[in-house]
Amino acid sequence: MDNKREYIYRIEPGDADFMKRATLMSLADYILHTAGEDADRGGFGVRDLNLHNASWVLTRMALEVERMPAEYERIRVTTWVSAVTRAMTTRNFEVFDEKGVRIACAVTNWAMLDLSARRMLDLHLLPAYDSMTQDFPLPAALPCRLAPLSGGREYEHAVVYSDLDFNCHANSVKYIQWAVDTLPLELLQQKRFARTDINFIREARYGERLRIVAAEEALAFEIRNPEREAVCRIAFRME
Amino acid sequence: MDNKREYIYRIEPGDADFMKRATLMSLADYILHTAGEDADRGGFGVRDLNLHNASWVLTRMALEVERMPAEYERIRVTTWVSAVTRAMTTRNFEVFDEKGVRIACAVTNWAMLDLSARRMLDLHLLPAYDSMTQDFPLPAALPCRLAPLSGGREYEHAVVYSDLDFNCHANSVKYIQWAVDTLPLELLQQKRFARTDINFIREARYGERLRIVAAEEALAFEIRNPEREAVCRIAFRME
């Protein structure tokens, strides 16, 4: 392969917020959807891995937004895999508007999970997967490792049916939603999510009462399970 | 016009629940999206009405499901307008699978709102709109008028950013989500939403702390605003 593969989407009314722009969640959703489609196309999708009782797990994500696309706008998402180690692979994304201007980009890290043993698998078990990698420069800095949060304002959320994905744990995009929903509406109106770093640490299961700890001024968040373990950490830089 | 117009969608992983079937919310979303697309196509969409400072408001919905479509399944949604009175118009939907089998249908009622005065407009103000109506039989019984609920288990939900639509009030599909999320997972696994009736009564605004009152055995729900007024009533029949 010598080209980034590309996928076209339209920002539908259901993807847009009251300002008629895509939400950070819907942009992240299109990006993760692209990952799924492209892995499928390469023969390494969740459906393929499921046959071997394995699945992809998103471990980190960095998402940079220059301009949030508007309702009814068409976006083109390109994607490529840039690295494969035993434990982790990196998948990159660039988002272009109809004029060909790059308006967002993302770098994601993924691990492969054995669904029975709930342990990580060696990515070299997929010998052909290396052929997926392409040698383009990273579109943004790698996702940061986020430090534990000591304190902040606390919110509670019990994981409900509509939060669940096919793995029966809370969907990655929901974590972003819980953090974004704690922010003041004025901030969301006045600024954009210039960069978002997310560390996915543990699964959040149905019925679990999570604590969303928000150090609001730092725009840093930690989502904890009832055992007080960090499930996810998120940091926003808004401009 | 002598044909029902049709729209094709695919049930994406993000539309599916942990059973890899469309959620009631995503099915309702595709149906309401179809309403928007078809009204747009006829020149009576929200964007057209907005030019006159007006908008469509969904007042009632009845949604019947014979079989919930599975992840990756393609569905064909047909739609037509069957009635226009001064106060209300009826839009109908049928959902077919790839074999041409009807798996769901819906009947919806809409009013036209003056966005400044927040009052309903006479639909005969749209003289050409009558040409939208088509004389096909209703696919299901009209949405029921639901009675007030006296008591039930209560849940609280504050309207957050991700709940808001372009009108800056909670999106219609969110009401369904709040009700569905109170149901036991076992019930959602074992039964389908044979029929859902919804009455949309008032807008729910940002920051409002709503009470979701659930008479769970009757599968009847009333969502109330802080003034204890009913915002929405929902009734499910599960089979």
Side-chain angles (χ1 to χ4, degrees):
Chain A
M1 287 182 297
D2 52 358
N3 272 309
K4 301 171 186 175
R5 299 207 269 196
E6 51 183 62
Y7 298 84
I8 311 281
Y9 307 101
R10 191 179 79 154
I11 306 302
E12 303 295 346
D15 300 323
D17 64 14
F18 70 99
M19 297 173 280
K20 302 195 181 186
R21 292 192 310 228
T23 61
L24 187 66
M25 291 72 86
S26 56
L27 184 63
D29 200 42
Y30 279 120
I31 285 170
L32 295 177
H33 184 268
T34 300
E37 288 283 295
D38 197 57
D40 256 0
R41 200 166 141 185
F44 301 101
V46 167
R47 284 183 287 187
D48 303 292
L49 264 60
N50 277 180
L51 300 176
H52 306 285
N53 208 25
S55 190
W56 288 114
V57 177
L58 178 63
T59 58
R60 289 190 190 177
M61 182 171 194
L63 172 53
E64 296 192 355
V65 179
E66 192 61 42
R67 181 178 71 77
M68 200 55 97
E71 191 183 42
Y72 299 119
E73 207 175 330
R74 267 173 220 283
I75 56 170
R76 180 166 55 92
V77 181
T78 65
T79 186
W80 71 101
V81 173
S82 63
V84 188
T85 65
R86 288 171 59 94
M88 196 189 74
T89 177
T90 301
R91 182 182 275 281
N92 308 286
F93 307 86
E94 291 184 306
V95 182
F96 298 89
D97 66 14
E98 285 184 279
K99 290 176 182 155
V101 176
R102 195 180 89 166
I103 57 173
C105 61
V107 180
T108 55
N109 296 144
W110 302 78
M112 190 166 60
L113 182 74
D114 178 325
L115 289 173
S116 312
R118 304 312 268 186
R119 62 181 182 81
M120 296 307 174
L121 291 167
D122 183 345
L123 278 161
H124 295 140
L125 289 172
L126 300 174
Y129 185 78
D130 268 325
S131 70
M132 291 283 283
T133 61
Q134 291 180 278
D135 193 23
F136 296 108
L138 283 185
L142 282 165
C144 301
R145 184 181 182 282
L146 301 172
L149 225 63
S150 55
R153 206 162 151 169
E154 296 201 10
Y155 302 84
E156 194 181 77
H157 178 80
V159 180
V160 289
Y161 164 73
S162 64
D163 294 328
L164 302 178
D165 65 12
F166 55 87
N167 280 329
C168 213
H169 58 226
N171 185 305
S172 310
V173 172
K174 291 288 174 171
Y175 299 119
I176 307 176
Q177 184 183 310
W178 301 330
V180 168
D181 278 338
T182 71
L183 298 175
L185 211 58
E186 298 66 37
L187 185 67
L188 295 166
Q189 280 174 302
Q190 289 157 14
K191 299 197 169 182
R192 74 187 146 83
F193 292 99
R195 181 171 166 110
T196 302
D197 282 277
I198 318 176
N199 296 178
F200 298 97
I201 303 162
R202 286 183 176 78
E203 301 165 281
R205 293 195 176 75
Y206 180 73
E208 273 189 340
R209 300 193 83 81
L210 304 175
R211 310 290 300 176
I212 296 136
V213 185
E216 278 164 349
E217 281 176 36
L219 295 173
F221 299 83
E222 186 169 286
I223 299 166
R224 294 185 193 140
N225 65 17
E227 290 74 43
R228 299 181 162 273
E229 297 165 324
V231 162
C232 178
R233 294 191 187 110
I234 302 180
F236 298 124
R237 195 182 78 225
M238 298 188 78
E239 280 177 8
Chain B
M1 286 183 297
D2 52 358
N3 271 310
K4 302 172 186 175
R5 298 207 269 196
E6 53 182 60
Y7 299 84
I8 311 279
Y9 307 101
R10 192 180 78 155
I11 306 302
E12 303 294 347
D15 301 323
D17 64 13
F18 71 97
M19 296 172 281
K20 303 197 181 186
R21 292 192 310 228
T23 63
L24 187 66
M25 292 71 88
S26 57
L27 184 62
D29 200 44
Y30 279 120
I31 285 170
L32 295 176
H33 185 269
T34 300
E37 288 283 294
D38 197 58
D40 255 3
R41 197 166 144 186
F44 300 101
V46 167
R47 286 184 285 187
D48 304 292
L49 265 60
N50 278 180
L51 300 174
H52 306 285
N53 208 25
S55 191
W56 288 115
V57 177
L58 178 63
T59 58
R60 290 189 190 176
M61 182 171 193
L63 172 52
E64 296 191 356
V65 179
E66 191 60 43
R67 180 177 72 78
M68 200 56 97
E71 192 184 39
Y72 299 116
E73 205 174 331
R74 268 173 219 283
I75 56 170
R76 180 166 55 91
V77 181
T78 66
T79 185
W80 71 99
V81 174
S82 63
V84 187
T85 66
R86 288 169 61 92
M88 195 189 76
T89 178
T90 302
R91 183 183 274 281
N92 308 286
F93 307 85
E94 291 184 308
V95 181
F96 297 90
D97 66 15
E98 285 185 279
K99 291 177 182 156
V101 177
R102 195 179 89 167
I103 57 172
C105 63
V107 180
T108 57
N109 296 143
W110 302 77
M112 188 166 61
L113 182 74
D114 178 325
L115 289 172
S116 312
R118 304 311 269 187
R119 62 180 181 80
M120 296 307 174
L121 291 167
D122 184 344
L123 277 162
H124 295 139
L125 289 171
L126 299 174
Y129 185 78
D130 268 326
S131 69
M132 291 284 283
T133 61
Q134 290 179 282
D135 194 24
F136 295 108
L138 285 184
L142 282 166
C144 301
R145 183 181 183 284
L146 300 172
L149 224 63
S150 54
R153 206 161 152 170
E154 297 202 9
Y155 303 83
E156 195 180 74
H157 178 79
V159 180
V160 289
Y161 165 74
S162 63
D163 294 328
L164 302 178
D165 65 13
F166 54 88
N167 280 328
C168 213
H169 59 224
N171 186 304
S172 310
V173 172
K174 291 288 173 171
Y175 300 119
I176 306 176
Q177 183 183 311
W178 301 330
V180 168
D181 278 338
T182 70
L183 297 174
L185 211 57
E186 296 68 36
L187 184 66
L188 295 166
Q189 280 175 300
Q190 289 158 12
K191 297 198 170 183
R192 74 187 147 84
F193 292 98
R195 180 169 167 111
T196 302
D197 281 277
I198 318 176
N199 295 178
F200 297 97
I201 302 162
R202 285 182 177 79
E203 301 166 282
R205 292 193 178 76
Y206 180 73
E208 274 189 340
R209 299 193 83 82
L210 305 175
R211 309 289 300 176
I212 296 137
V213 185
E216 279 164 347
E217 281 178 35
L219 294 174
F221 300 83
E222 186 168 285
I223 299 165
R224 294 184 193 142
N225 65 18
E227 291 74 43
R228 298 181 162 274
E229 297 164 325
V231 162
C232 178
R233 294 191 185 109
I234 302 179
F236 298 123
R237 195 183 78 225
M238 298 189 76
E239 280 176 6

